[in-house]
Amino acid sequence: MRGLYIGRFQPYHLGHQAVLKKIAQEVEEIVIVIGSAQESHTPENPFTGGERMEMIYAALSEIDLRECSIVTPLQDIQRNSVWVSHLRSMVPRFDVVYSNNPLVVQLMSDAGIEIRRSPMYQREQYSGTTIRKLMSENREWAGLVPASVAAFIREIGGLERLIAISKSDRD
Ligand code: ATP
Ligand code: MG
């Protein structure tokens, strides 16, 4: 059985890691889809599709899930009514989708695909929005992502990038 987990992973954090550990108890293989893969260098989407792919593979190695996972980027198509077909044309076949995102849940249900929700893990702090805010304010963020992800973000100058692109020309 193959499960699919989709997110933007801006950045990949310990909430995502907890969800994947749980999914791995239910399916043999996991397809992890990086949504809005074309986006980067914005306050909402600081990291490229490729950078997010590297983050996720590094984090999967930490919990021994790299062998049973496929990570793949997916561009937006700006047309929700055919988005599930778009997804299906780009990724390996899957039996069940894991998501808590209301739009994803709705589109998958419309297409007759089984959806499973996962519990939310410490959602206040394990949240992409929260972590990007902490990073852009140069406050403590590294403890909210796997150690390998924090190291990768430092290696690519991710913190400096996020701080720089969060400024306006009036600053
Ligand atoms: P953002 O605030 O940028 O939307 P996010 O933390 O919601 O970031 P996503 O990449 O949007 O991260 O999330 C992918 C999937 O993981 C979604 O289904 C989301 O609901 C789920 N998710 C995110 N954080 C957690 C968490 N702490 N516990 C469980 N599921 C989570
Ligand atoms: Mg989200």
Short mmCIF file of all heavy atoms in Angstrom, two decimals, residues 6-9 13 16 100-102 120 123 127-129 132, ligand 2:
data_model
loop_
_atom_site.label_atom_id
_atom_site.label_comp_id
_atom_site.label_asym_id
_atom_site.label_seq_id
_atom_site.Cartn_x
_atom_site.Cartn_y
_atom_site.Cartn_z
N ILE A 6 1.19 15.44 1.19
CA ILE A 6 1.49 16.65 0.42
C ILE A 6 1.58 17.88 1.31
O ILE A 6 0.82 18.02 2.27
CB ILE A 6 0.45 16.85 -0.72
CG1 ILE A 6 0.82 18.05 -1.58
CG2 ILE A 6 -0.96 16.95 -0.20
CD1 ILE A 6 0.20 18.01 -2.96
N GLY A 7 2.53 18.74 0.99
CA GLY A 7 2.67 20.00 1.73
C GLY A 7 3.57 20.94 0.95
O GLY A 7 4.08 20.58 -0.10
N ARG A 8 3.74 22.16 1.49
CA ARG A 8 4.70 23.07 0.84
C ARG A 8 6.06 22.96 1.52
O ARG A 8 7.07 23.30 0.96
CB ARG A 8 4.19 24.52 0.91
CG ARG A 8 3.12 24.84 -0.13
CD ARG A 8 2.73 26.31 -0.09
NE ARG A 8 2.33 26.71 1.25
CZ ARG A 8 2.99 27.56 2.02
NH1 ARG A 8 4.10 28.15 1.59
NH2 ARG A 8 2.55 27.85 3.24
N PHE A 9 6.06 22.51 2.78
CA PHE A 9 7.31 22.28 3.52
C PHE A 9 8.24 23.49 3.49
O PHE A 9 9.41 23.40 3.11
CB PHE A 9 8.01 21.02 2.99
CG PHE A 9 7.11 19.82 2.97
CD1 PHE A 9 6.66 19.26 1.77
CD2 PHE A 9 6.65 19.26 4.16
CE1 PHE A 9 5.81 18.17 1.75
CE2 PHE A 9 5.79 18.16 4.16
CZ PHE A 9 5.38 17.62 2.94
N HIS A 13 9.32 20.68 9.02
CA HIS A 13 9.52 20.80 10.47
C HIS A 13 9.14 19.54 11.24
O HIS A 13 8.76 18.53 10.62
CB HIS A 13 8.79 22.04 11.00
CG HIS A 13 7.30 22.07 10.70
ND1 HIS A 13 6.42 21.16 11.21
CD2 HIS A 13 6.55 22.92 9.93
CE1 HIS A 13 5.20 21.44 10.80
NE2 HIS A 13 5.25 22.50 10.01
N HIS A 16 5.78 17.80 10.60
CA HIS A 16 5.79 16.94 9.42
C HIS A 16 6.47 15.60 9.74
O HIS A 16 6.00 14.54 9.32
CB HIS A 16 6.55 17.62 8.27
CG HIS A 16 5.99 18.94 7.84
ND1 HIS A 16 6.76 20.04 7.62
CD2 HIS A 16 4.71 19.34 7.61
CE1 HIS A 16 6.01 21.06 7.25
NE2 HIS A 16 4.75 20.67 7.25
N ASN A 100 -4.32 17.37 6.24
CA ASN A 100 -5.24 18.11 7.10
C ASN A 100 -5.61 19.41 6.43
O ASN A 100 -6.32 20.24 7.01
CB ASN A 100 -4.56 18.42 8.44
CG ASN A 100 -4.39 17.18 9.28
OD1 ASN A 100 -5.25 16.30 9.31
ND2 ASN A 100 -3.25 17.07 9.94
N ASN A 101 -5.11 19.64 5.23
CA ASN A 101 -5.38 20.89 4.53
C ASN A 101 -6.78 20.82 3.92
O ASN A 101 -7.08 19.94 3.11
CB ASN A 101 -4.31 21.08 3.45
CG ASN A 101 -4.51 22.36 2.67
OD1 ASN A 101 -5.51 22.50 1.97
ND2 ASN A 101 -3.59 23.28 2.80
N PRO A 102 -7.69 21.74 4.30
CA PRO A 102 -9.09 21.65 3.88
C PRO A 102 -9.28 21.60 2.36
O PRO A 102 -10.13 20.85 1.87
CB PRO A 102 -9.72 22.92 4.47
CG PRO A 102 -8.84 23.29 5.61
CD PRO A 102 -7.46 22.88 5.24
N MET A 120 -2.79 16.70 15.01
CA MET A 120 -1.89 17.85 14.90
C MET A 120 -0.92 17.81 16.08
O MET A 120 -1.33 17.68 17.23
CB MET A 120 -2.69 19.16 14.93
CG MET A 120 -3.61 19.36 13.73
SD MET A 120 -2.83 19.13 12.13
CE MET A 120 -2.18 20.75 11.83
N ARG A 123 0.79 22.20 17.29
CA ARG A 123 0.58 23.04 16.12
C ARG A 123 1.00 24.50 16.31
O ARG A 123 1.33 25.19 15.35
CB ARG A 123 -0.90 22.96 15.70
CG ARG A 123 -1.26 23.70 14.45
CD ARG A 123 -0.39 23.29 13.28
NE ARG A 123 -0.94 23.71 12.00
CZ ARG A 123 -0.21 23.90 10.91
NH1 ARG A 123 1.09 23.70 10.93
NH2 ARG A 123 -0.78 24.26 9.78
N SER A 127 4.82 24.77 12.98
CA SER A 127 4.03 25.40 11.93
C SER A 127 4.98 26.19 11.03
O SER A 127 5.83 26.94 11.53
CB SER A 127 3.00 26.34 12.59
OG SER A 127 2.87 27.55 11.86
N GLY A 128 4.85 26.00 9.73
CA GLY A 128 5.72 26.72 8.79
C GLY A 128 5.62 28.22 8.98
O GLY A 128 6.63 28.93 9.01
N THR A 129 4.38 28.71 9.14
CA THR A 129 4.17 30.15 9.30
C THR A 129 4.92 30.68 10.53
O THR A 129 5.60 31.70 10.46
CB THR A 129 2.65 30.44 9.43
OG1 THR A 129 2.01 29.93 8.26
CG2 THR A 129 2.37 31.92 9.57
N ARG A 132 8.79 30.52 9.90
CA ARG A 132 9.27 31.60 8.99
C ARG A 132 9.29 32.94 9.71
O ARG A 132 10.18 33.75 9.50
CB ARG A 132 8.38 31.68 7.74
CG ARG A 132 8.53 30.49 6.81
CD ARG A 132 7.86 30.77 5.46
NE ARG A 132 6.43 31.08 5.55
CZ ARG A 132 5.45 30.18 5.64
NH1 ARG A 132 5.72 28.88 5.66
NH2 ARG A 132 4.18 30.56 5.71
MG MG B 2 -0.15 24.67 5.84
#
